[in-house]
Amino acid sequence: MSAARRPDRDATRPVYVISVAATLVSAHPRTLRIYEDEGLVSPARTPTNIRLYSEEDIRRILWIRHLTRDRGVNLAGVRVLFELEERLGKRILEVLYVEGTRGRDDGPREPAGPEDGPASPGR
Amino acid sequence: MSAARRPDRDATRPVYVISVAATLVSAHPRTLRIYEDEGLVSPARTPTNIRLYSEEDIRRILWIRHLTRDRGVNLAGVRVLFELEERLGKRILEVLYVEGTRGRDDGPREPAGPEDGPASPGR
DNA sequence: CCTATCTTGACAACGTCATTGTCAGGGTTC
DNA sequence: GAACCCTGACAATGACGTTGTCAAGATAGG
């Protein structure tokens, strides 16, 4: 599983409908719609207006979940952080994970995000 | 010394007691103590345990006020932002102000760099 | 000495927020 | 036709930010 190296399996490819996406991030569909209303994530839409989340969208949402649940940051804070990330180039948040995983064993392993390991939520 | 031109006017010099500091940032003394409990600011203390805020402390607090009141960020978010700033070296927050002046010109001249700029919140 | 201000700790009120949940009326998918 | 999606609304729950006060004691300055 998780063998995604096919070119056609782009992480930006919209594939998950909201119920699946919600399951993937352990949140209520309602919550995902709220994130979208708040401008924190922008899933693609089918020609008939159905939301489709890509792998990147999922990762971005996992960032939001991490920041809000583990760090106690509210959505306004998440917005500022994303805004900052967008302005300062890329992954500045990744720096947080190094500390977020508490424990000083400088393991070169992946920051171990909520699940797969966060990658910059570039939209 | 490599210090500023005037040791007497060092921005790190502790001078304001809590009531004065509270007035300067338009907050209740209680609020400043909370900021300290949250580890967001660390004013110096006299040998007899009285809090003394420096100009830098004041600026740091003004940042907190701006982020919380104008941006809606909670204290947990402020903590993450400060942490990020500390880790990424310099004033990353300053970037926010460039955009912060967009939309509503709330331009809080106080917090940002009316004098020297955010001057990394230091500790 | 006296009075104002400081200290910590507790408790509370007020408004806001994050999240989940549901109900409605209607469209889409298979 | 059943299961899912859409938007919009309303609400409950728990937590947070800020201000405010009360207490009992230490400190500063005239």
Side-chain angles (χ1 to χ4, degrees), chain A residues 11-121:
Chain A
T12 68
R13 182 160 242 137
V15 284
Y16 310 116
V17 292
I18 198 169
S19 64
V20 177
T23 300
L24 289 177
V25 302
S26 306
H28 197 276
R30 190 77 228 291
T31 307
L32 299 194
R33 289 191 251 255
I34 289 174
Y35 290 167
E36 186 175 356
D37 290 344
E38 294 286 330
L40 299 178
V41 63
S42 303
R45 299 283 186 132
T46 65
T48 53
N49 208 35
I50 305 276
R51 270 173 267 253
L52 284 186
Y53 295 81
S54 69
E55 206 60 60
E56 272 190 7
D57 289 329
I58 298 299
R59 265 183 244 142
R60 193 177 174 90
I61 294 169
L62 285 174
W63 260 113
I64 301 173
R65 299 299 276 178
H66 167 64
L67 290 170
T68 56
R69 306 184 118 213
D70 305 335
R71 292 262 180 166
V73 179
N74 61 9
L75 298 188
V78 173
R79 183 179 303 111
V80 170
L81 285 167
F82 281 176
E83 186 182 317
L84 217 52
E85 177 142 282
E86 206 170 305
R87 265 183 178 33
L88 296 181
K90 297 296 174 186
R91 60 199 68 170
I92 56 176
L93 290 180
E94 153 181 300
V95 174
L96 289 178
Y97 251 120
V98 179
E99 208 218 8
T101 50
R102 108 189 266 295
R104 21 237 270 120
D105 67 319
D106 314 278
R109 69 178 73 103
E110 284 233 6
E115 198 146 306
D116 276 307
S120 64

